Amino acid sequence: MDTVKVALIGFGTIGTGVAKILFGQRERIARAVGRNVELTRICDKDTQRDRGVKLPPDVLTDDLNAISNDSEISTVVELVGGIEPARSIILSLLKSGKNVVTANKALLATHGSEIFDAARSYNRSVSFEAAVGGAIPVINAISTALQANELRQLQAIVNGTCNFILTQMEEHGTNYATAVAEAQRLGYAEANPAMDVNGTDTVQKLAILAHLGFGVKLNWQDIPRTGIDTVEAIDIVYAKRLGYRIKLLAVAEATPDGIELYVSPTLVKIDTPVANVRDSFNIVRIVGDVAGDIVLQGRGAGELPTASAVVGDMIDTILGRAKITFDILNLWGKERPVTKIKNPAEICGKNYLRFLVEDRPGVLAEIAGILGRHKISIASVLQQQDNESDDSPATLIFMTHISREGDTIAAIDTIDSLACVRGKTVRMRVE
Amino acid sequence: MDTVKVALIGFGTIGTGVAKILFGQRERIARAVGRNVELTRICDKDTQRDRGVKLPPDVLTDDLNAISNDSEISTVVELVGGIEPARSIILSLLKSGKNVVTANKALLATHGSEIFDAARSYNRSVSFEAAVGGAIPVINAISTALQANELRQLQAIVNGTCNFILTQMEEHGTNYATAVAEAQRLGYAEANPAMDVNGTDTVQKLAILAHLGFGVKLNWQDIPRTGIDTVEAIDIVYAKRLGYRIKLLAVAEATPDGIELYVSPTLVKIDTPVANVRDSFNIVRIVGDVAGDIVLQGRGAGELPTASAVVGDMIDTILGRAKITFDILNLWGKERPVTKIKNPAEICGKNYLRFLVEDRPGVLAEIAGILGRHKISIASVLQQQDNESDDSPATLIFMTHISREGDTIAAIDTIDSLACVRGKTVRMRVE
């Protein structure tokens, strides 16, 4: 049996999972590609730390050239993460004739055009199943099996850290800070969880899915984004009372005015598949015009689940399927027809609004009046005072009927500037 | 732009969906394959009936040779269904050099070996995403993206008719016969729904999934099978009281003694994804040793959803990906390593048992005694009399602890032969 040589750059959590599969399951992988697959090089700055995988001698190196200059290595996995040096590494790998497999959503969302153009100019492929949804084969499904469809809608929970925090808050009645601390203690959140909880990670994944599935081309920074860092225990309680759970959703939806895109904590009806995704699991719900509703769920992170996607891409690359898919999709290609994006201010929907206000007569009327002047009609109101003392602030929660995003933002801006309002309004979408 | 010619055999519901997509979405399909796709021939015995699709002249024919003899047609979709003449048609298409796309689970489950060997001998491919789970890309996921995994478990609802009937019974409290009639009225069940409700359709799909995902090779007739035709309203009610829903599950599970396989109405815990699949939707839950839990759900039947899978396979075939996958998987190939199947009598699990018995002293003790002598211990019992009159029979429901299948069957046989027992025992598995 022939042997094909592959390499890995970035020997962290996922890299360790990839090495475990490739060294531990040689026979299985050989059967899957019809050749022996030899992981000949792993490159990482840190060549000392024990990752719990026994490596043959000379595999671990800190010299990138050991990979770039080895013409027998055809496929390289990039798991460095972040923008630089990952960007330069991938461009240089493509230039030296390697096919690339990556899990790097930040890089693809930011420099997809450059990376994919480079791959095309060197006649190589880039695969990225592991960049979105961990083990869930969502990139593959959209890229291949669902190609007869025009996508109408996509709703996704693609950040396991946020979903774990929200699940903790719901199940244990804890507040946001306590849930974050618990997520950190259990290894679900990093020491600095900002990129997860502020929605950046989710919005980058949405940018990739929206390009792949809906043909939109945009800076991920331009997608309206709200994180979960403003969600509090009272929100979870009130949502539950109304029959909802709060989930950080990435949404893309085709409308006559273009594709609606946003990331926001969202009240989703209990008993829907999306609401029932717990802990660090991920879900992607896709509505195709011919397939109808398709739901894919699974582990969105973790050493082995993400490595499953990486090794799947590696198998696809060695077999030559990845190149066929890469060529025909022409992702981020100049000739690819670009779909219109809907002006975010024109997106319409229901909202959940929470205000912290002075507890005195006239405040509720003032806020309701501002909402009314912005054509936002109110479906229900809850007023709650945390503390019986006279000067403690009161919490006001409004559920609105459908309104324009632009009107909602303008109304919130006006309300937030009122003297009787303490802090910033918390806003979530309602499905 | 080049043109590639394709043909369709069998112009029923799904065939109509395929024609609608290929004629109605020419641009989309051309973009997906980089060539114009021309559906040049549709072959069906009935060339008169109006299917609501406007066809160019000369497309519809009742002459198979118009397809076999046209060397420009490279890919043919078989949607005739059933064993013959579908089997002969596919073998003759392969012989004349066509790649085949089929939705025919009965044929693949019965003659997979012959069909796939023929395709290999003529260096062609057979694709069959639409044979299992309609629009759900489950065949694709197992065949490609999840190839780094050894599958540990698979649980599936793959018959929309049965799931619709069970959902009706649960939601409206109707009995089995009424629910079947409603399913027929709405077009979810055929005039003769035997193949669906007796589990044949599900077991054939399980045979395909088990071969693809677990490497087992067997006659589908050898898989233990119970249909939903014995489920009654009382079962639904009692299951619900215990926190379960009843679903017709296809199960494959890797154990140290081989792969466990069965199809049975099963009590599944409410709040699991499988329990929450309603109406005619399908679900496949896969546990891979590295990916962990993966759940795929969507529309398992219907004109356009199934056509989505067929056209997806057609795109895969034209692009050449299908051939790569077909060759490497070597499905039903002689050299493919065969996984051991667990002796069905040795499968262990909890059961739900319902008996209709004479309402007289000693009957419960007699049945419980027989269960005990077969090493089946009882977790709970419910006795209910439908009618207050003295000689009306009573219903006895037992939930058992884990027991061997062989013991369970032997106990039921003994109990069914008792004079005090009316009719056959209803048995379902409990997850």
Side-chain angles (χ1 to χ4, degrees):
Chain A
M1 210 187 244
D2 278 359
T3 294
V4 56
K5 292 185 178 178
V6 300
L8 171 59
I9 301 174
F11 199 27
T13 306
I14 306 169
T16 302
V18 171
K20 280 183 185 168
I21 296 173
L22 293 182
F23 287 119
Q25 305 294 342
R26 287 170 190 273
E27 225 181 286
R28 180 194 305 179
I29 304 302
R31 211 163 43 233
V33 297
R35 296 198 260 170
N36 291 312
V37 175
E38 202 186 324
L39 179 54
T40 50
R41 294 283 184 193
I42 299 176
C43 179
D44 197 284
K45 285 180 302 194
D46 180 352
T47 59
Q48 300 307 315
R49 185 160 59 91
D50 181 10
R51 278 93 168 175
V53 200
K54 206 176 139 49
L55 300 177
D58 298 331
V59 165
L60 192 55
T61 174
D62 57 5
D63 178 16
L64 262 172
N65 292 321
I67 294 172
S68 300
N69 295 343
D70 185 341
S71 63
E72 289 188 9
I73 296 174
S74 62
T75 301
V76 181
V77 177
E78 178 274 311
L79 295 171
V80 176
I83 305 297
E84 284 294 354
R87 176 182 151 275
S88 308
I89 289 172
I90 289 184
L91 292 173
S92 125
L93 289 169
L94 291 168
K95 194 174 174 187
S96 42
K98 317 299 186 198
N99 294 305
V100 171
V101 173
T102 178
N104 196 329
K105 61 264 172 182
L107 181 62
L108 294 183
T110 313
H111 296 287
S113 218
E114 183 184 21
I115 302 280
F116 277 59
D117 281 348
R120 277 185 285 269
S121 76
Y122 298 115
N123 200 27
R124 291 296 173 269
S125 66
V126 177
S127 302
F128 55 97
E129 181 66 75
V132 184
I136 307 172
V138 56
I139 302 297
N140 181 54
I142 300 176
S143 303
T144 66
L146 298 176
Q147 279 288 300
N149 289 267
E150 181 168 286
L151 301 195
R152 310 309 305 158
Q153 204 192 351
L154 181 149
Q155 277 185 322
I157 298 172
V158 281
N159 185 284
T161 306
C162 291
N163 206 54
F164 180 84
I165 291 168
L166 293 172
T167 307
Q168 283 286 311
M169 291 176 73
E170 191 196 331
E171 290 184 352
H172 305 289
T174 47
N175 66 21
Y176 174 75
T178 310
V180 169
E182 180 66 3
Q184 286 168 324
R185 196 182 68 79
L186 292 171
Y188 287 111
E190 296 178 51
N192 178 0
M195 300 286 269
D196 290 320
V197 299
N198 71 18
T200 299
D201 175 82
T202 299
V203 102
Q204 288 173 339
K205 289 166 177 168
L206 177 60
I208 294 172
L209 290 172
H211 180 69
L212 175 65
F214 295 82
V216 302
K217 213 168 167 179
L218 81 172
N219 292 325
W220 61 262
Q221 292 93 337
D222 294 338
I223 299 176
R225 164 176 64 89
T226 311
I228 63 160
D229 37 7
T230 54
V231 177
E232 274 304 336
I234 172 81
D235 302 315
I236 307 269
V237 170
Y238 191 60
K240 195 173 188 177
R241 197 185 302 170
L242 292 162
Y244 293 95
R245 286 206 181 99
I246 297 174
K247 296 291 179 186
L248 184 65
L249 283 199
V251 174
E253 184 158 359
T255 77
D257 310 314
I259 310 294
E260 281 187 16
L261 293 169
Y262 58 86
V263 168
S264 171
T266 305
L267 278 70
V268 290
K269 280 239 181 289
I270 288 172
D271 279 341
T272 56
V274 169
N276 286 319
V277 174
R278 307 193 82 71
D279 298 326
S280 65
F281 276 84
N282 281 195
I283 189 169
V284 183
R285 179 175 162 255
I286 298 164
V287 183
D289 65 344
V290 289
D293 237 295
I294 299 277
V295 175
L296 310 173
Q297 58 187 99
R299 296 197 176 273
E303 179 187 290
L304 287 174
T306 311
S308 167
V310 168
V311 178
D313 271 354
M314 190 184 271
I315 292 169
D316 229 31
T317 304
I318 296 170
L319 286 174
R321 278 190 308 238
K323 183 63 162 59
I324 295 175
T325 308
F326 181 84
D327 287 345
I328 192 71
L329 288 181
N330 191 23
L331 293 177
W332 286 284
K334 285 173 196 69
E335 321 76 25
R336 203 172 188 245
V338 172
T339 316
K340 196 183 149 197
I341 298 161
K342 185 166 174 175
N343 176 356
E346 298 302 328
I347 295 176
C348 292
K350 297 179 190 175
N351 283 283
Y352 165 101
L353 305 172
R354 170 163 56 81
F355 311 99
L356 195 65
V357 298
E358 279 177 26
D359 188 25
R360 61 166 175 76
V363 169
L364 194 149
E366 196 169 356
I367 289 176
I370 292 169
L371 292 173
R373 284 196 292 285
H374 286 88
K375 289 168 282 179
I376 300 166
S377 78
I378 298 159
S380 70
V381 183
L382 172 87
Q383 174 160 355
Q384 180 164 318
Q385 193 164 14
D386 298 334
N387 193 310
E388 290 290 318
S389 84
D390 265 5
D391 57 350
S392 81
T395 295
L396 276 181
I397 294 171
F398 286 72
M399 297 284 283
T400 77
H401 288 297
I402 289 174
S403 62
R404 274 181 71 251
E405 181 76 2
D407 293 331
T408 309
I409 290 172
I412 291 174
D413 279 352
T414 308
I415 291 167
D416 281 355
S417 69
L418 295 177
C420 62
V421 171
R422 314 269 179 90
K424 284 179 71 74
T425 297
V426 172
R427 188 269 286 255
M428 303 185 206
R429 291 175 182 278
V430 181
E431 263 301 297
Chain B
M1 209 187 243
D2 279 358
T3 294
V4 55
K5 292 185 177 178
V6 299
L8 171 61
I9 302 175
F11 199 25
T13 305
I14 305 168
T16 303
V18 171
K20 280 181 185 167
I21 296 173
L22 293 181
F23 287 119
Q25 305 294 345
R26 287 171 190 273
E27 226 181 285
R28 178 193 307 179
I29 304 300
R31 211 164 41 233
V33 297
R35 297 197 260 170
N36 290 312
V37 176
E38 201 185 325
L39 180 54
T40 50
R41 294 284 184 192
I42 299 176
C43 179
D44 196 285
K45 284 179 304 196
D46 180 352
T47 59
Q48 301 305 315
R49 185 161 57 91
D50 181 9
R51 277 92 166 176
V53 200
K54 207 176 137 48
L55 300 178
D58 298 330
V59 166
L60 191 55
T61 176
D62 57 4
D63 178 15
L64 262 172
N65 292 321
I67 294 173
S68 299
N69 295 343
D70 186 341
S71 63
E72 289 190 8
I73 296 173
S74 63
T75 301
V76 180
V77 177
E78 178 273 313
L79 295 171
V80 175
I83 305 296
E84 284 295 352
R87 175 181 152 275
S88 308
I89 290 171
I90 290 185
L91 291 173
S92 125
L93 289 169
L94 292 168
K95 193 175 176 186
S96 44
K98 316 300 184 197
N99 294 306
V100 170
V101 173
T102 178
N104 196 330
K105 61 262 172 183
L107 181 61
L108 294 184
T110 313
H111 296 286
S113 217
E114 181 184 23
I115 302 280
F116 277 59
D117 280 348
R120 277 185 285 269
S121 74
Y122 299 115
N123 201 26
R124 290 296 174 267
S125 66
V126 176
S127 302
F128 54 97
E129 181 67 74
V132 182
I136 306 172
V138 58
I139 301 296
N140 181 54
I142 300 176
S143 303
T144 66
L146 298 177
Q147 279 287 299
N149 289 266
E150 180 168 286
L151 301 195
R152 311 307 306 159
Q153 204 191 352
L154 180 148
Q155 279 186 319
I157 298 172
V158 282
N159 185 285
T161 305
C162 290
N163 207 54
F164 180 85
I165 291 168
L166 292 172
T167 307
Q168 283 286 310
M169 290 175 73
E170 189 197 333
E171 289 183 353
H172 304 290
T174 47
N175 65 23
Y176 174 74
T178 311
V180 170
E182 181 65 4
Q184 287 169 322
R185 195 181 68 80
L186 293 169
Y188 287 111
E190 296 179 53
N192 177 0
M195 300 286 271
D196 290 319
V197 299
N198 72 17
T200 299
D201 176 81
T202 299
V203 101
Q204 289 173 339
K205 289 166 177 166
L206 176 61
I208 294 172
L209 290 172
H211 181 67
L212 175 64
F214 296 82
V216 303
K217 214 169 168 180
L218 80 173
N219 292 325
W220 62 262
Q221 291 93 336
D222 294 337
I223 299 176
R225 163 177 66 87
T226 311
I228 63 160
D229 36 8
T230 54
V231 177
E232 275 304 337
I234 172 80
D235 301 315
I236 307 270
V237 170
Y238 191 60
K240 194 173 188 175
R241 197 184 304 170
L242 292 163
Y244 293 95
R245 286 206 180 100
I246 298 173
K247 296 291 179 186
L248 184 66
L249 283 200
V251 173
E253 185 160 357
T255 78
D257 309 313
I259 310 295
E260 280 188 15
L261 294 169
Y262 58 86
V263 167
S264 171
T266 304
L267 278 69
V268 291
K269 280 240 180 287
I270 288 172
D271 279 340
T272 56
V274 169
N276 286 318
V277 173
R278 308 193 80 71
D279 297 326
S280 66
F281 276 83
N282 282 195
I283 189 169
V284 183
R285 178 174 162 256
I286 297 164
V287 183
D289 65 344
V290 288
D293 236 295
I294 300 277
V295 175
L296 311 172
Q297 60 188 99
R299 295 196 176 274
E303 180 187 291
L304 287 175
T306 311
S308 167
V310 168
V311 177
D313 270 354
M314 191 185 269
I315 291 168
D316 228 30
T317 304
I318 296 169
L319 286 173
R321 277 190 309 237
K323 183 63 163 59
I324 295 175
T325 308
F326 181 84
D327 286 346
I328 192 71
L329 289 182
N330 191 24
L331 293 177
W332 285 285
K334 284 173 199 67
E335 321 75 26
R336 204 172 187 245
V338 172
T339 317
K340 197 183 148 196
I341 299 161
K342 185 167 175 175
N343 176 355
E346 298 301 328
I347 295 176
C348 291
K350 297 179 190 175
N351 283 283
Y352 165 101
L353 305 171
R354 171 165 55 81
F355 311 98
L356 195 64
V357 298
E358 279 177 28
D359 187 24
R360 60 165 175 78
V363 168
L364 194 150
E366 196 170 356
I367 289 176
I370 293 169
L371 292 174
R373 282 195 293 283
H374 286 89
K375 288 168 283 181
I376 301 165
S377 78
I378 298 159
S380 70
V381 183
L382 171 87
Q383 173 160 356
Q384 179 164 320
Q385 192 165 16
D386 298 334
N387 192 308
E388 290 291 316
S389 84
D390 265 4
D391 56 350
S392 80
T395 295
L396 275 181
I397 293 172
F398 286 72
M399 297 285 282
T400 77
H401 288 298
I402 290 174
S403 62
R404 274 182 71 252
E405 181 76 2
D407 293 331
T408 310
I409 291 172
I412 292 174
D413 279 353
T414 308
I415 291 167
D416 281 355
S417 69
L418 295 178
C420 63
V421 171
R422 313 268 178 93
K424 283 178 71 71
T425 297
V426 171
R427 188 269 287 254
M428 302 183 207
R429 290 176 183 278
V430 180
E431 263 300 298

